[in-house]
Amino acid sequence: MELIESQILSQTQVLQKIRRIAFEIYENNFEESDIVIAGIRGQGHAFAKLLASTLREISPLEASAVLIDVDKNITYESPVEFDCDERFLERKTIIVVDDVLNSGRTLAYSLSPFLSIPVKRIQVAVIVDRNYRRFPIMADYVGYELSTTLSEYVSVVLDDESRMGVYLK
Protein backbone atom coordinates (compact mmCIF):
# COMPACT_ATOMS: atom_id res chain seq x y z
CA MET A 1 0.00 0.00 0.00
CA GLU A 2 1.40 3.37 -1.01
CA LEU A 3 1.41 6.09 1.63
CA ILE A 4 -0.19 9.35 0.59
CA GLU A 5 1.88 12.40 1.40
CA SER A 6 0.12 15.69 2.00
CA GLN A 7 1.77 19.04 2.52
CA ILE A 8 0.95 20.63 5.87
CA LEU A 9 3.17 23.75 5.57
CA SER A 10 4.54 25.33 2.41
CA GLN A 11 8.02 26.81 2.01
CA THR A 12 6.63 30.29 2.70
CA GLN A 13 4.84 29.11 5.84
CA VAL A 14 7.93 27.26 7.15
CA LEU A 15 10.09 30.34 6.64
CA GLN A 16 7.47 32.46 8.44
CA LYS A 17 7.51 30.01 11.39
CA ILE A 18 11.32 30.18 11.53
CA ARG A 19 11.23 33.98 11.45
CA ARG A 20 8.63 34.08 14.26
CA ILE A 21 10.73 31.67 16.36
CA ALA A 22 13.79 33.91 15.75
CA PHE A 23 11.87 36.95 17.05
CA GLU A 24 10.74 34.99 20.13
CA ILE A 25 14.31 33.87 20.82
CA TYR A 26 15.55 37.44 20.48
CA GLU A 27 12.81 38.76 22.79
CA ASN A 28 13.75 36.21 25.46
CA ASN A 29 17.51 36.64 25.03
CA PHE A 30 17.92 40.32 24.07
CA GLU A 31 20.50 40.86 26.83
CA GLU A 32 22.88 38.32 25.26
CA SER A 33 25.62 39.33 22.85
CA ASP A 34 25.92 35.91 21.27
CA ILE A 35 23.90 32.75 21.21
CA VAL A 36 24.47 29.20 19.96
CA ILE A 37 21.86 27.43 17.87
CA ALA A 38 22.73 23.73 18.17
CA GLY A 39 20.92 21.60 15.60
CA ILE A 40 20.55 17.84 15.65
CA ARG A 41 22.05 16.15 12.58
CA GLY A 42 19.72 16.16 9.58
CA GLN A 43 16.87 18.63 9.29
CA GLY A 44 17.56 19.87 12.83
CA HIS A 45 20.94 21.19 11.68
CA ALA A 46 19.37 22.70 8.55
CA PHE A 47 16.86 24.41 10.89
CA ALA A 48 19.74 25.67 13.08
CA LYS A 49 21.49 27.27 10.10
CA LEU A 50 18.29 28.99 8.90
CA LEU A 51 17.45 30.14 12.43
CA ALA A 52 20.96 31.51 13.09
CA SER A 53 20.90 33.38 9.78
CA THR A 54 17.47 34.86 10.56
CA LEU A 55 18.58 35.91 14.06
CA ARG A 56 21.58 37.72 12.59
CA GLU A 57 19.21 39.51 10.15
CA ILE A 58 16.69 40.72 12.73
CA SER A 59 18.90 41.39 15.76
CA PRO A 60 22.36 42.41 16.90
CA LEU A 61 22.90 38.90 18.32
CA GLU A 62 25.86 36.96 17.02
CA ALA A 63 24.14 33.63 16.35
CA SER A 64 26.29 30.59 15.57
CA ALA A 65 24.93 27.32 14.19
CA VAL A 66 26.53 24.20 15.68
CA LEU A 67 25.96 20.57 14.69
CA ILE A 68 24.89 18.03 17.32
CA ASP A 69 25.91 14.70 15.84
CA VAL A 70 23.80 11.87 17.26
CA ASP A 71 22.28 8.82 15.61
CA LYS A 72 18.50 9.25 15.95
CA ASN A 73 17.91 5.52 15.49
CA ILE A 74 20.14 4.35 18.35
CA THR A 75 20.46 7.44 20.54
CA TYR A 76 21.28 5.47 23.70
CA GLU A 77 24.22 3.69 22.01
CA SER A 78 25.73 6.51 19.97
CA PRO A 79 27.95 9.22 21.40
CA VAL A 80 26.75 12.82 21.15
CA GLU A 81 29.36 15.00 19.48
CA PHE A 82 29.63 18.60 18.29
CA ASP A 83 31.30 20.10 15.23
CA CYS A 84 33.04 22.63 17.49
CA ASP A 85 35.22 22.59 20.57
CA GLU A 86 33.08 22.25 23.72
CA ARG A 87 34.81 25.33 25.18
CA PHE A 88 33.06 27.40 22.47
CA LEU A 89 29.74 26.52 24.18
CA GLU A 90 30.79 27.56 27.69
CA ARG A 91 28.92 30.43 29.39
CA LYS A 92 26.58 30.88 26.44
CA THR A 93 22.86 30.51 25.92
CA ILE A 94 22.24 27.39 23.86
CA ILE A 95 19.11 26.79 21.79
CA VAL A 96 18.91 23.08 20.93
CA VAL A 97 16.82 22.61 17.79
CA ASP A 98 15.30 19.74 15.85
CA ASP A 99 12.70 19.48 13.14
CA VAL A 100 10.03 17.38 14.92
CA LEU A 101 9.44 16.76 18.63
CA ASN A 102 7.68 13.43 18.94
CA SER A 103 8.59 11.24 21.92
CA GLY A 104 11.38 13.51 23.17
CA ARG A 105 13.99 10.71 23.08
CA THR A 106 16.37 12.33 20.57
CA LEU A 107 16.24 15.72 22.28
CA ALA A 108 16.75 14.13 25.73
CA TYR A 109 19.91 12.35 24.59
CA SER A 110 21.09 15.43 22.68
CA LEU A 111 20.82 17.55 25.83
CA SER A 112 22.93 15.18 27.96
CA PRO A 113 26.42 16.53 27.05
CA PHE A 114 25.34 20.05 28.01
CA LEU A 115 25.00 18.86 31.62
CA SER A 116 28.79 18.72 31.91
CA ILE A 117 29.42 22.07 30.19
CA PRO A 118 28.97 25.32 32.16
CA VAL A 119 26.35 27.00 29.94
CA LYS A 120 24.19 30.01 30.87
CA ARG A 121 20.89 28.57 29.74
CA ILE A 122 19.48 25.85 27.50
CA GLN A 123 16.29 26.27 25.52
CA VAL A 124 14.61 24.02 22.92
CA ALA A 125 13.05 24.95 19.57
CA VAL A 126 11.24 22.71 17.08
CA ILE A 127 9.35 23.32 13.87
CA VAL A 128 6.66 20.71 14.61
CA ASP A 129 5.52 19.45 18.02
CA ARG A 130 3.48 16.23 17.80
CA ASN A 131 2.76 15.95 21.57
CA TYR A 132 3.60 12.26 22.06
CA ARG A 133 5.98 12.56 25.01
CA ARG A 134 7.70 9.57 26.52
CA PHE A 135 10.52 11.76 27.86
CA PRO A 136 10.08 14.96 29.91
CA ILE A 137 11.06 17.35 27.13
CA MET A 138 9.13 20.54 26.36
CA ALA A 139 9.94 22.96 23.59
CA ASP A 140 10.33 26.63 24.49
CA TYR A 141 9.72 27.62 20.88
CA VAL A 142 7.31 25.76 18.58
CA GLY A 143 6.57 26.60 14.97
CA TYR A 144 3.50 24.38 14.58
CA GLU A 145 1.63 21.98 16.87
CA LEU A 146 0.16 19.00 15.07
CA SER A 147 -2.02 16.27 16.52
CA THR A 148 -1.55 13.08 14.55
CA THR A 149 -2.08 9.37 15.02
CA LEU A 150 0.91 7.29 16.07
CA SER A 151 0.95 5.59 12.65
CA GLU A 152 1.32 8.89 10.78
CA TYR A 153 4.75 10.24 9.92
CA VAL A 154 5.71 13.93 9.88
CA SER A 155 8.53 14.92 7.55
CA VAL A 156 10.21 18.32 7.50
CA VAL A 157 12.27 19.28 4.45
CA LEU A 158 14.53 22.31 4.87
CA ASP A 159 17.61 21.47 2.81
CA ASP A 160 15.87 21.16 -0.59
CA GLU A 161 14.39 24.47 -1.77
CA SER A 162 12.23 22.79 -4.39
CA ARG A 163 10.49 20.66 -1.73
CA MET A 164 10.85 22.82 1.40
CA GLY A 165 7.88 22.29 3.70
CA VAL A 166 6.24 20.02 6.25
CA TYR A 167 4.59 16.82 5.05
CA LEU A 168 2.33 14.20 6.63
CA LYS A 169 2.31 10.56 5.54
Side-chain angles (χ1 to χ4, degrees), residues 122-135:
I122 298 174
Q123 297 172 333
V124 174
V126 296
I127 293 180
V128 178
D129 186 350
R130 288 187 64 190
N131 294 312
Y132 284 117
R133 301 291 179 287
R134 286 188 281 155
F135 288 76

Side-chain angles (χ1 to χ4, degrees), residues 76-136:
Y76 50 89
E77 290 180 12
S78 67
V80 178
E81 298 173 335
F82 304 106
D83 69 347
C84 68
D85 189 309
E86 286 186 12
R87 287 177 294 193
F88 175 74
L89 305 171
E90 291 179 359
R91 292 174 292 287
K92 290 186 180 162
T93 293
I94 312 289
I95 313 291
V96 178
V97 302
D98 202 7
D99 54 350
V100 179
L101 174 53
N102 190 19
S103 69
R105 176 189 305 269
T106 301
L107 275 163
Y109 281 99
S110 297
L111 291 169
S112 62
F114 293 106
L115 298 175
S116 60
I117 301 170
V119 298
K120 270 189 186 178
R121 177 177 16 194
I122 298 174
Q123 297 172 333
V124 174
V126 296
I127 293 180
V128 178
D129 186 350
R130 288 187 64 190
N131 294 312
Y132 284 117
R133 301 291 179 287
R134 286 188 281 155
F135 288 76

Side-chain angles (χ1 to χ4, degrees), residues 43-63:
Q43 297 306 300
H45 188 240
F47 177 28
K49 291 189 286 189
L50 288 167
L51 191 55
S53 172
T54 304
L55 271 165
R56 288 189 300 269
E57 274 176 29
I58 65 161
S59 75
L61 289 175
E62 181 52 48

